[in-house]
Amino acid sequence: EPEVTQTPSHQVTQMGQEVILRCVPISNHLYFYWYRQILGQKVEFLVSFYNNEISEKSEIFDDQFSVERPDGSNFTLKIRSTKLEDSAMYFCASTPRMTRVGNEQFFGPGTRLTVL
Amino acid sequence: AQSVTQPDIHITVSEGASLELRCNYSYGATPYLFWYVQSPGQGLQLLLKYFSGDTLVQGIKGFEAEFKRSQSSFNLRKPSVHWSDAAEYFCAVCGNTGNQFYFGTGTSLTVIP
């Protein structure tokens, strides 16, 4: 069964460094998402991406964040200058059509980011 | 604004006992509701979803959930829990644009022999 994959599973970085989290969505899916979950808190929406552009983003997704689909298969989340509070589990998700028309989002296993 | 509340942070049940995980939502229109399960080291797996129609929804692994509009609830149930059901359970509602999910804080389920 097709699945969303994410690499790395765990990333440790120093504060102020740039990190890139990678995701490979399911191949025929058109909508892509990033969520994060700070330890002990709820899963929070960051951004959705469709047709090579951001379709929606949350307040969390500030200028330090960016997303890209560089090659038609990967979907990346870049944090330009990491802060301690960026430490979290980051989930990628994809869906073939908009969720509202009846499709669940398919989630990857997550990347745990630790900022020291 | 859309939101989801899962009142129970942690639940412990005996294997074979019944289970009910609570979920309350806040949403201005007809909600689209989901239950996901997360096992350690795994991604979020869909258990079931509600979009319209029958308010009792059947899912995988023997789970079901009932949508009650009057109570703004979408509680997850299972008649007989198995040790392999130990995991984190998340309730989610779909937002206005159909693009993003609003998740609850999750309920951690422990199953004891």
Side-chain angles (χ1 to χ4, degrees):
Chain A
E1 185 176 331
E3 57 184 21
V4 177
T5 60
Q6 291 186 243
T7 54
S9 57
H10 191 191
Q11 174 96 44
V12 181
T13 189
Q14 296 289 327
M15 190 170 57
Q17 295 296 304
E18 174 183 287
V19 294
I20 297 176
L21 310 183
R22 302 181 193 281
C23 168
V24 179
I26 295 172
S27 64
N28 63 343
H29 285 192
L30 302 177
Y31 293 82
F32 314 111
Y33 311 82
W34 282 102
Y35 292 81
R36 78 170 185 192
Q37 183 184 27
I38 296 171
L39 190 62
Q41 299 184 24
K42 62 177 62 179
V43 177
E44 301 171 291
F45 169 78
L46 292 178
V47 66
S48 61
F49 191 85
Y50 169 70
N51 199 26
N52 285 318
E53 61 183 25
I54 291 173
S55 51
E56 192 171 3
K57 60 183 181 179
S58 72
E59 294 175 353
I60 304 168
F61 195 87
D62 61 22
D63 292 343
Q64 291 298 311
F65 292 90
S66 63
V67 289
E68 194 177 32
R69 189 157 161 81
D71 56 13
S73 63
N74 289 284
F75 179 51
T76 61
L77 174 68
K78 181 193 290 186
I79 309 176
R80 258 180 275 282
S81 178
T82 50
K83 303 187 283 286
L84 295 177
E85 54 264 38
D86 293 327
S87 294
M89 180 73 89
Y90 288 81
F91 293 104
C92 174
S94 70
T95 190
R97 289 173 292 279
M98 284 186 75
T99 306
R100 186 172 51 188
V101 297
N103 299 282
E104 78 267 21
Q105 294 181 10
F106 293 80
F107 285 82
T111 293
R112 178 162 299 285
L113 176 65
T114 302
V115 182
L116 303 176
Chain B
Q2 300 86 355
S3 67
V4 172
T5 302
Q6 292 180 249
D8 305 305
I9 296 172
H10 188 214
I11 285 182
T12 300
V13 299
S14 298
E15 191 167 16
S18 63
L19 171 71
E20 182 169 28
L21 303 183
R22 295 182 290 167
C23 172
N24 293 97
Y25 67 89
S26 172
Y27 191 72
T30 300
Y32 300 123
L33 295 158
F34 304 81
W35 274 100
Y36 280 85
V37 61
Q38 184 183 28
S39 299
Q42 302 296 313
L44 297 168
Q45 181 186 22
L46 181 73
L47 285 176
L48 46 77
K49 62 185 179 183
Y50 171 78
F51 280 84
S52 64
D54 194 347
T55 56
L56 185 63
V57 179
Q58 302 297 319
I60 63 171
K61 304 185 181 184
F63 285 92
E64 67 178 27
E66 186 170 12
F67 170 59
K68 293 184 177 180
R69 185 186 297 275
S70 62
Q71 298 177 20
S72 298
S73 69
F74 189 56
N75 294 348
L76 182 71
R77 300 194 295 249
K78 185 169 184 176
S80 178
V81 170
H82 188 262
W83 64 265
S84 60
D85 293 324
E88 188 89 14
Y89 291 80
F90 294 94
C91 182
V93 65
C94 183
N96 275 328
T97 63
N99 250 356
Q100 60 171 286
F101 279 2
Y102 294 89
F103 282 89
T105 49
T107 297
S108 177
L109 175 64
T110 297
V111 180
I112 57 177

